[in-house]
Coordinates of all heavy atoms in Angstrom, one line a residue:
R1067 N -1.0 -45.9 -71.8 CA 0.4 -46.2 -72.4 C 0.5 -47.7 -72.7 O 1.6 -48.0 -73.4 CB 1.5 -45.8 -71.3 CG 1.4 -44.5 -70.7 CD 2.5 -44.3 -69.8 NE 3.7 -44.3 -70.4 CZ 4.7 -43.2 -70.5 NH1 4.3 -42.0 -70.1 NH2 5.8 -43.4 -71.1
E1068 N -0.5 -48.5 -72.5 CA -0.4 -50.0 -72.8 C -0.3 -50.1 -74.4 O -1.1 -49.5 -75.0 CB -1.6 -50.5 -72.3 CG -1.3 -52.1 -72.1 CD -2.6 -52.8 -71.4 OE1 -3.1 -52.3 -70.4 OE2 -2.9 -53.8 -72.1
G1069 N 0.7 -50.9 -74.8 CA 1.0 -50.9 -76.2 C 1.8 -50.1 -76.8 O 2.1 -50.1 -78.1
C1070 N 2.3 -49.1 -76.1 CA 3.3 -48.1 -76.7 C 4.5 -48.7 -77.2 O 5.1 -49.5 -76.4 CB 3.5 -47.0 -75.6 SG 2.3 -45.7 -75.4
G1071 N 4.8 -48.5 -78.4 CA 6.1 -49.0 -78.9 C 5.9 -50.4 -79.5 O 6.8 -50.9 -80.2
E1072 N 4.7 -50.9 -79.3 CA 4.4 -52.2 -80.1 C 3.2 -52.0 -80.9 O 3.3 -52.2 -82.2 CB 4.0 -53.2 -78.9 CG 5.2 -53.7 -78.2 CD 4.8 -54.4 -76.8 OE1 3.8 -55.1 -77.0 OE2 5.5 -54.3 -75.9
T1073 N 1.9 -51.7 -80.4 CA 0.8 -51.6 -81.3 C 0.4 -50.1 -81.4 O -0.6 -49.8 -82.0 CB -0.4 -52.4 -80.8 OG1 -0.6 -52.1 -79.4 CG2 0.0 -53.9 -80.9
K1074 N 1.2 -49.3 -80.7 CA 0.8 -47.8 -80.8 C 2.2 -47.0 -80.7 O 3.1 -47.4 -80.2 CB 0.1 -47.4 -79.5 CG -1.2 -48.1 -79.3 CD -2.1 -47.5 -78.3 CE -1.6 -47.4 -76.9 NZ -2.7 -47.3 -75.9
G1075 N 2.1 -46.0 -81.6 CA 3.3 -45.0 -81.6 C 2.8 -44.0 -80.5 O 1.7 -43.5 -80.4
C1076 N 3.8 -43.7 -79.6 CA 3.6 -42.8 -78.5 C 4.7 -41.8 -78.2 O 5.8 -42.2 -78.4 CB 3.4 -43.6 -77.2 SG 2.1 -44.9 -77.1
L1077 N 4.3 -40.6 -78.0 CA 5.3 -39.6 -77.7 C 4.7 -38.7 -76.4 O 3.6 -38.4 -76.5 CB 5.4 -38.4 -78.8 CG 6.3 -38.8 -79.9 CD1 5.7 -39.6 -81.0 CD2 6.8 -37.5 -80.5
F1078 N 5.5 -38.7 -75.4 CA 5.0 -38.1 -74.1 C 6.0 -37.2 -73.6 O 7.2 -37.4 -73.7 CB 4.7 -39.0 -73.1 CG 3.6 -40.0 -73.4 CD1 3.9 -41.4 -73.5 CD2 2.2 -39.5 -73.7 CE1 2.9 -42.3 -73.8 CE2 1.3 -40.5 -73.9 CZ 1.5 -41.9 -74.0
K1079 N 5.5 -36.0 -73.1 CA 6.5 -35.0 -72.5 C 5.7 -34.5 -71.1 O 4.6 -34.1 -71.2 CB 6.8 -34.0 -73.4 CG 7.9 -33.1 -73.1 CD 8.2 -32.0 -74.1 CE 9.1 -31.0 -73.5 NZ 9.4 -30.1 -74.5
P1080 N 6.4 -34.7 -70.0 CA 7.8 -35.3 -69.7 C 7.7 -36.9 -69.9 O 6.5 -37.4 -69.8 CB 8.1 -35.0 -68.4 CG 6.7 -34.6 -67.8 CD 5.9 -34.1 -68.8
A1081 N 8.8 -37.5 -70.1 CA 8.8 -38.9 -70.6 C 7.9 -39.8 -69.8 O 7.2 -40.6 -70.4 CB 10.3 -39.3 -70.6
G1082 N 8.0 -39.7 -68.4 CA 7.2 -40.8 -67.8 C 5.8 -40.4 -67.3 O 5.1 -41.1 -66.5
C1083 N 5.2 -39.3 -68.1 CA 3.9 -38.9 -67.6 C 2.8 -39.8 -68.0 O 2.9 -40.7 -68.7 CB 3.7 -37.5 -68.3 SG 3.5 -37.6 -70.1
D1084 N 1.7 -39.5 -67.2 CA 0.5 -40.3 -67.5 C -0.5 -39.4 -68.3 O -0.9 -38.3 -67.9 CB -0.2 -40.5 -66.1 CG -1.6 -41.2 -66.2 OD1 -2.1 -41.3 -67.4 OD2 -2.1 -41.6 -65.1
P1085 N -0.9 -39.9 -69.6 CA -1.6 -39.0 -70.5 C -3.0 -38.6 -70.0 O -3.6 -37.7 -70.5 CB -1.7 -39.9 -71.8 CG -1.4 -41.3 -71.3 CD -0.5 -41.2 -70.1
M1086 N -3.5 -39.4 -68.8 CA -4.7 -39.0 -68.3 C -4.6 -38.0 -67.2 O -5.6 -37.6 -66.6 CB -5.5 -40.3 -67.8 CG -5.9 -41.3 -68.9 SD -7.0 -40.4 -70.3 CE -8.6 -40.5 -69.4
R1087 N -3.4 -37.7 -66.9 CA -3.1 -36.8 -65.7 C -2.1 -35.7 -65.9 O -2.5 -34.4 -65.7 CB -2.7 -37.7 -64.6 CG -3.8 -38.3 -63.8 CD -3.3 -39.0 -62.6 NE -2.6 -38.1 -61.7 CZ -1.6 -38.4 -61.0 NH1 -1.2 -39.6 -60.9 NH2 -0.9 -37.4 -60.2
D1088 N -1.0 -35.9 -66.3 CA 0.0 -34.9 -66.1 C 1.0 -34.7 -67.2 O 2.1 -34.3 -67.1 CB 0.8 -35.1 -64.8 CG 1.4 -36.6 -64.7 OD1 1.3 -37.2 -65.7 OD2 1.9 -36.9 -63.7
C1089 N 0.6 -35.1 -68.4 CA 1.5 -34.8 -69.6 C 1.3 -33.3 -70.0 O 0.3 -32.8 -70.3 CB 1.1 -35.7 -70.8 SG 1.5 -37.5 -70.5
T1090 N 2.5 -32.6 -70.2 CA 2.3 -31.3 -70.8 C 1.9 -31.5 -72.3 O 1.1 -30.7 -72.8 CB 3.6 -30.5 -70.7 OG1 4.7 -31.2 -71.3 CG2 3.9 -30.1 -69.3
I1091 N 2.4 -32.5 -72.9 CA 1.8 -32.9 -74.3 C 2.0 -34.3 -74.5 O 3.0 -35.0 -74.0 CB 2.4 -32.0 -75.3 CG1 1.8 -32.3 -76.7 CG2 3.9 -32.1 -75.4 CD1 2.0 -31.4 -77.7
G1092 N 1.1 -35.0 -75.1 CA 1.2 -36.4 -75.3 C 0.4 -36.7 -76.7 O -0.6 -36.1 -77.1
I1093 N 1.0 -37.8 -77.4 CA 0.4 -38.1 -78.7 C 0.5 -39.7 -78.8 O 1.5 -40.3 -78.5 CB 1.2 -37.5 -79.9 CG1 1.0 -35.9 -79.9 CG2 0.8 -38.2 -81.2 CD1 1.8 -35.4 -81.0
I1094 N -0.6 -40.2 -79.1 CA -0.6 -41.7 -79.4 C -1.3 -42.0 -80.9 O -2.3 -41.2 -81.2 CB -1.5 -42.4 -78.4 CG1 -0.9 -42.3 -77.0 CG2 -1.8 -43.8 -78.8 CD1 -1.8 -42.9 -75.8
F1095 N -0.6 -42.8 -81.6 CA -1.3 -43.0 -82.9 C -1.2 -44.6 -83.3 O -0.3 -45.2 -82.8 CB -0.7 -42.1 -84.1 CG 0.9 -42.3 -84.1 CD1 1.5 -43.2 -84.9 CD2 1.5 -41.3 -83.4 CE1 2.7 -43.2 -85.1 CE2 3.0 -41.4 -83.4 CZ 3.6 -42.4 -84.3
Y1096 N -2.2 -45.0 -84.0 CA -2.1 -46.4 -84.3 C -3.1 -46.6 -85.5 O -4.1 -45.9 -85.6 CB -2.5 -47.4 -83.3 CG -3.8 -47.0 -82.6 CD1 -5.0 -47.5 -82.9 CD2 -3.9 -45.9 -81.6 CE1 -6.3 -47.2 -82.4 CE2 -5.1 -45.5 -81.0 CZ -6.3 -46.2 -81.5 OH -7.5 -45.8 -80.8
V1097 N -2.9 -47.6 -86.3 CA -3.8 -47.9 -87.4 C -5.1 -48.5 -86.7 O -4.9 -49.5 -86.0 CB -3.1 -49.0 -88.4 CG1 -4.1 -49.5 -89.3 CG2 -1.9 -48.4 -89.0
S1098 N -6.1 -48.1 -87.1 CA -7.4 -48.4 -86.5 C -8.4 -49.1 -87.5 O -9.5 -49.5 -87.1 CB -8.0 -47.3 -85.8 OG -8.3 -46.3 -86.7
G1099 N -8.2 -49.0 -88.7 CA -9.0 -49.5 -89.7 C -8.5 -49.4 -91.2 O -7.4 -49.0 -91.3
L1100 N -9.3 -49.8 -92.1 CA -8.8 -49.8 -93.4 C -8.4 -48.3 -93.9 O -9.3 -47.4 -93.8 CB -10.1 -50.3 -94.3 CG -9.7 -50.6 -95.8 CD1 -8.8 -51.7 -95.8 CD2 -11.0 -50.9 -96.4
N1101 N -7.2 -48.0 -94.1 CA -6.6 -46.8 -94.5 C -6.9 -45.6 -93.4 O -7.0 -44.4 -93.8 CB -7.3 -46.3 -95.9 CG -6.5 -45.1 -96.5 OD1 -5.4 -45.0 -96.2 ND2 -7.1 -44.3 -97.3
L1102 N -7.0 -46.1 -92.2 CA -7.3 -45.2 -91.0 C -6.2 -45.1 -90.0 O -5.9 -46.2 -89.5 CB -8.6 -45.4 -90.6 CG -9.8 -44.9 -91.3 CD1 -11.1 -45.4 -90.5 CD2 -9.8 -43.5 -91.6
L1103 N -5.7 -44.0 -89.7 CA -4.9 -43.8 -88.6 C -5.6 -43.1 -87.5 O -6.1 -41.9 -87.7 CB -3.6 -43.0 -89.0 CG -2.4 -42.9 -88.0 CD1 -1.7 -44.2 -87.8 CD2 -1.4 -41.7 -88.4

Side-chain angles (χ1 to χ4, degrees):
R1067 302 182 68 113
E1068 206 179 305
C1070 282
E1072 289 164 33
T1073 55
K1074 300 196 294 203
C1076 302
L1077 277 87
F1078 296 117
K1079 195 176 167 178
C1083 67
D1084 174 351
M1086 294 304 279
R1087 283 188 50 212
D1088 54 6
C1089 294
T1090 49
I1091 182 163
I1093 290 178
I1094 293 178
F1095 54 90
Y1096 54 93
V1097 173
S1098 59
L1100 198 63
N1101 197 25
L1102 284 180
L1103 188 68

